[in-house]
Structures are given as structure tokens and as C-alpha cells.
Amino acid sequence: TQLLEQSPQFLSIQEGENLTVYCNSSSVFSSLQWYRQEPGEGPVLLVTVVTGGEVKKLKRLTFQFGDARKDSSLHITAAQPGDTGLYLCAGEYGAGGTSYGKLTFGQGTILTVHP
Amino acid sequence: EAGVAQSPRYKIIEKRQSVAFWCNPISGHATLYWYQQILGQGPKLLIQFQNNGVVDDSQLPKDRFSAERLKGVDSTLKIQPAKLEDSAVYLCASSLGHAVGTLHFGNGTRLTVT
């Protein structure tokens, strides 16, 4: 079973601060996804990174996939209270030929942004 | 497009009772997943279907959990008998096909076992 470790587990910051969430593994993934989950709802996909070293930006969110495709980071600039939620990274492995892709999730980072 | 539908939203049962959850994926999505999410943790895959066939059920506690996806559309997940440690949110997700692609999640069923 491929394991993904996220850090930190909890993050409590003031509005306007910057933050980075890390997602690390000893396994190589074919792609890495980041999700955001709000209470009472299912996770919603934010981004998928596929290429080692890839950087994607989504407004104030910057996602990076490690060169070796084993780790990823999510950086939020000038956090806002609306960014509050559970952030999950998920790595895809096993897809190829007739094999179906599988997704394994990290344990999540609970972010609270105070006004 | 309509999202992934799950019911019920909440369920409270006593240990040793049985319970069933229902999921209707997005129309045309061949792959369906059931995840268990314990409070404060990331989702853990229980079972993955491709149409009506099982792709992966390696983490499904088969002595008490069962799932089916008849006709390759709707799916049900059953627990019998339930244990206290089964208290969690059960999430259903679907995706178009072979590779994971974009997983679309339902809002889940919150199960409390007392």
C-alpha cells in the first residue's frame, strides 16, 4: 500500500498570512491531486499535477510536484477565512495498460484562517 | 450535470445491527469508489468498481462489509454486524474511466455506531 504523509496536521493562522502544506511519500506516483473538503461535504478536486517539477497556480494557491514525483506542496498566499477547510493530497498509482488507476489519500491538513 | 447522490445523510445504529448505504454516480461514469473517512483522517478506499466488476477490494473487511453494483450504475454498501469502530463518514465517488482522472464525491453518509 502506497502511503502519503501530510504535514502539518493542523494549521491555525491569521488572515493575510502565507502557508505551505507538504505531502511526502517514499513511493512514486503517476499523478498527485489536491482536494479541499468542507464540513458535511465530499472532497472537491483543486488540481492534478502529472509531470515531475510541475508547478500549477490557481489564484492564490500554488501547487508543486517534486522532481521525483514522490512529494508535493501546496502554498497559499494571503490566506482568507474562506480558505478554511481540510486539505487532502492524493496520489495515483497502478494505472497503465489494462490496470486501473488507484488513488491513496494523505491524512489531511486542517486549516483554520482567523479574520 | 447532477452530482453523485448518496443516502441516507445520517444513520445512527447500535453495535451488531446492520446498515446499508446507497450511491448513484454521475451518469456515464464507469468507475465507482466507496471510501471510509474516520473523523480527522483522509479517506480510505474500501472498494473500487469498474462497471459492475470489482477492481480492488483489498481493504474491505469482508467478514462484515459487502458491496455490489448491479447493472453497473447504482451501488450499495452494507455493514453487518456493525462495530463501534465503523463510526465514520462513508463517501461514494465516481470517475469516467480507466485512469483515476477527476473523482467526483458525494456528500457522504455519516454513520454513528453506539
Side-chain angles (χ1 to χ4, degrees):
Chain A
T1 303
Q2 270 69 352
L3 294 176
L4 275 170
E5 293 189 2
Q6 275 186 248
S7 62
Q9 192 174 352
F10 301 95
L11 203 49
S12 179
I13 61 172
Q14 293 296 126
E15 182 175 2
E17 292 183 359
N18 301 331
L19 67 110
T20 302
V21 177
Y22 299 93
C23 180
N24 295 291
S25 175
S26 58
S27 303
V28 176
F29 293 99
S30 54
S31 70
L32 201 293
Q33 300 182 342
W34 285 92
Y35 290 80
R36 179 166 170 263
Q37 185 177 20
E38 298 196 48
E41 298 182 6
V44 176
L45 181 67
L46 295 174
V47 77
T48 300
V49 285
V50 179
T51 307
E54 182 177 3
V55 177
K56 280 191 174 179
K57 292 192 175 184
L58 185 65
K59 297 182 180 178
R60 294 177 293 101
L61 279 60
T62 302
F63 305 86
Q64 186 164 7
F65 202 11
D67 291 341
R69 306 208 317 275
K70 293 182 179 181
D71 55 87
S72 181
S73 64
L74 157 61
H75 182 80
I76 301 179
T77 303
Q80 298 177 359
D83 296 328
T84 294
L86 174 67
Y87 288 82
L88 295 158
C89 66
E92 181 184 5
Y93 66 98
T98 56
S99 297
Y100 297 98
K102 300 175 185 178
L103 201 63
T104 187
F105 281 84
Q107 72 269 39
T109 295
I110 298 174
L111 171 64
T112 304
V113 183
H114 301 280
Chain B
E1 63 181 3
V4 176
Q6 289 190 247
S7 67
R9 284 283 279 148
Y10 305 93
K11 192 73 178 178
I12 301 175
I13 62 172
E14 296 181 350
K15 60 184 179 184
R16 290 188 290 274
Q17 286 187 325
S18 63
V19 65
F21 313 125
W22 174 81
C23 172
N24 182 231
I26 292 174
S27 178
H29 280 198
T31 310
L32 185 148
Y33 312 76
W34 281 102
Y35 283 88
Q36 179 193 59
Q37 186 175 25
I38 293 173
L39 187 64
Q41 297 183 17
K44 182 184 87 170
L45 180 67
L46 293 175
I47 189 166
Q48 179 177 342
F49 291 95
Q50 183 76 14
N51 297 311
N52 60 349
V54 175
V55 171
D56 183 1
D57 63 357
S58 57
Q59 297 193 85
L60 186 74
K62 297 180 186 63
D63 58 335
R64 298 184 301 106
F65 286 64
S66 65
E68 60 182 10
R69 191 184 183 197
L70 299 176
K71 301 180 183 178
V73 182
D74 294 6
S75 178
T76 55
L77 176 69
K78 296 179 181 177
I79 308 175
Q80 181 180 10
K83 292 185 175 182
L84 295 176
E85 58 262 35
D86 298 332
S87 293
V89 174
Y90 290 84
L91 294 163
C92 179
S94 68
S95 64
L96 264 176
H98 215 188
V100 171
T102 299
L103 251 63
H104 298 264
F105 282 88
N107 287 330
T109 296
R110 179 176 295 278
L111 173 68
T112 302
V113 183
T114 62

